[in-house]
Amino acid sequence: MKLVSWNVNGLRACVNKGFQDYFKQADADLFCLQETKLQEGQICLDLGEEYTQYWNYAEKKGYSGTAVFTRLKPLSVRYGMEEDREPEGRIITLEFESFYLVTVYTPNAKRDLSRLDYRLEWEERFRGYLQELDAKKPVMICGDLNVAHQEIDLKNAKANRGNSGFTDQEREKMTRSLEAGFVDSFRYLYPERTDAYTWWSLMPKVRERNVGWRIDYFLVSERLKDSIIDARIDAKVLGSDHCPVVLEMAEEQIPPKVKPASEA
């Protein structure tokens, strides 16, 4: 089973820069997007009859937004955490027989950290939501988590210490999520790989010199880690200031649905 996640930073612009060529080449079972920056009716994507499209639009125009294109038929689809809606369009959850898939666009703390408190409170609620899902069946989480977890995950760690996306508080929230029973698939396979980034500033020559951050992830429930075949970064794919990340799982090894204790 192949999954792809990509922060496209505006899908309409990305489509004009080769999105559908990459989509066809990727040949994914599940293809997740963040930061679509769309309202309903603003785009019509012909992805073929085999894919079903699910969209979560932000109420604010030209902002945030997520989508999932799937070959696999979900049992249920949910938008948001506490309710089946979410004004910034940041989360879509698809339930399948043996796992949940959650695509997420984590709020940015902003350059002046004016949204840091909101971000940290949101992280607490999101981790609780993931734990609730994980108690029922394994979870795969993908998306732009807007944090470089360790110093190895960005080029200039010392210079960026305390900046948005690399504050001690944001990194600690990531640590707590991993300690809650989830695995960073890329670091699980490649714990010491350097210069592996998924986002680059739009300033001149930054991407060419690979001065980047790894802020896009696939996390999986601890009990799925042995099913990981590969986790990679398609850094050469252009069209956005982020690049796609890919996860390949051994489908036959994914554990069956976990029954609640009351049904065991």
Side-chain angles (χ1 to χ4, degrees), residues 125-184:
R125 288 189 288 118
F126 185 57
R127 186 174 66 254
Y129 175 63
L130 296 180
Q131 289 177 293
E132 288 177 8
L133 296 179
D134 191 50
K136 300 173 185 176
K137 61 182 78 171
V139 187
M140 302 183 201
I141 308 105
C142 69
D144 177 0
L145 302 190
N146 257 319
V147 62
H149 184 217
Q150 303 292 347
E151 291 189 358
I152 196 175
D153 294 318
L154 73 168
K155 189 69 171 181
N156 297 316
K158 290 183 179 179
N160 282 291
R161 179 78 180 270
N163 287 344
S164 177
F166 200 58
T167 64
D168 292 346
Q169 298 97 315
E170 291 166 302
R171 296 170 65 195
E172 173 61 20
K173 293 298 182 185
M174 179 71 170
T175 297
R176 291 190 63 187
S177 292
L178 296 177
E179 291 175 347
F182 299 98
V183 172
D184 175 351

Side-chain angles (χ1 to χ4, degrees), residues 8 10-21 43-45 239:
V8 290
L11 182 56
R12 285 173 291 180
C14 194
V15 164
N16 292 329
K17 299 174 182 177
F19 170 81
Q20 286 182 286
D21 290 336
I43 198 169
C44 181
L45 278 182

Side-chain angles (χ1 to χ4, degrees), residues 46-220:
D46 181 6
L47 303 177
E49 295 182 358
E50 60 187 316
Y51 287 96
T52 303
Q53 304 180 24
Y54 297 96
W55 300 83
N56 193 1
Y57 306 103
E59 292 177 2
K60 180 180 177 181
K61 292 183 179 180
Y63 180 73
S64 189
T66 48
V68 180
F69 310 140
T70 175
R71 282 173 168 158
L72 312 178
K73 185 178 180 180
L75 302 177
S76 67
V77 182
R78 184 173 182 175
Y79 304 90
M81 289 186 268
E82 291 86 354
E83 302 175 4
D84 195 22
R85 64 174 298 280
E86 190 252 325
E88 294 189 353
R90 293 187 178 276
I91 300 170
I92 303 176
T93 303
L94 272 60
E95 178 186 6
F96 297 97
E97 184 63 32
S98 60
F99 67 96
Y100 290 99
L101 172 73
V102 180
T103 191
V104 60
Y105 177 40
T106 300
N108 191 302
K110 291 192 173 182
R111 183 180 295 271
D112 63 359
L113 302 182
S114 60
R115 220 179 184 207
L116 180 59
D117 288 345
Y118 171 76
R119 155 78 180 260
L120 299 178
E121 182 271 335
W122 187 95
E123 291 264 22
E124 287 292 315
R125 288 189 288 118
F126 185 57
R127 186 174 66 254
Y129 175 63
L130 296 180
Q131 289 177 293
E132 288 177 8
L133 296 179
D134 191 50
K136 300 173 185 176
K137 61 182 78 171
V139 187
M140 302 183 201
I141 308 105
C142 69
D144 177 0
L145 302 190
N146 257 319
V147 62
H149 184 217
Q150 303 292 347
E151 291 189 358
I152 196 175
D153 294 318
L154 73 168
K155 189 69 171 181
N156 297 316
K158 290 183 179 179
N160 282 291
R161 179 78 180 270
N163 287 344
S164 177
F166 200 58
T167 64
D168 292 346
Q169 298 97 315
E170 291 166 302
R171 296 170 65 195
E172 173 61 20
K173 293 298 182 185
M174 179 71 170
T175 297
R176 291 190 63 187
S177 292
L178 296 177
E179 291 175 347
F182 299 98
V183 172
D184 175 351
S185 60
F186 183 81
R187 282 289 167 232
Y188 176 70
L189 295 182
Y190 310 109
E192 298 181 2
R193 180 169 294 181
T194 59
D195 299 321
Y197 308 125
T198 66
W199 174 82
W200 301 263
S201 165
L202 292 174
M203 294 176 63
K205 303 294 184 180
V206 168
R207 190 159 183 171
E208 291 91 327
R209 294 186 289 117
N210 197 26
V211 181
W213 297 45
R214 189 175 74 94
I215 60 177
D216 301 88
Y217 297 81
F218 269 102
L219 309 181
V220 302

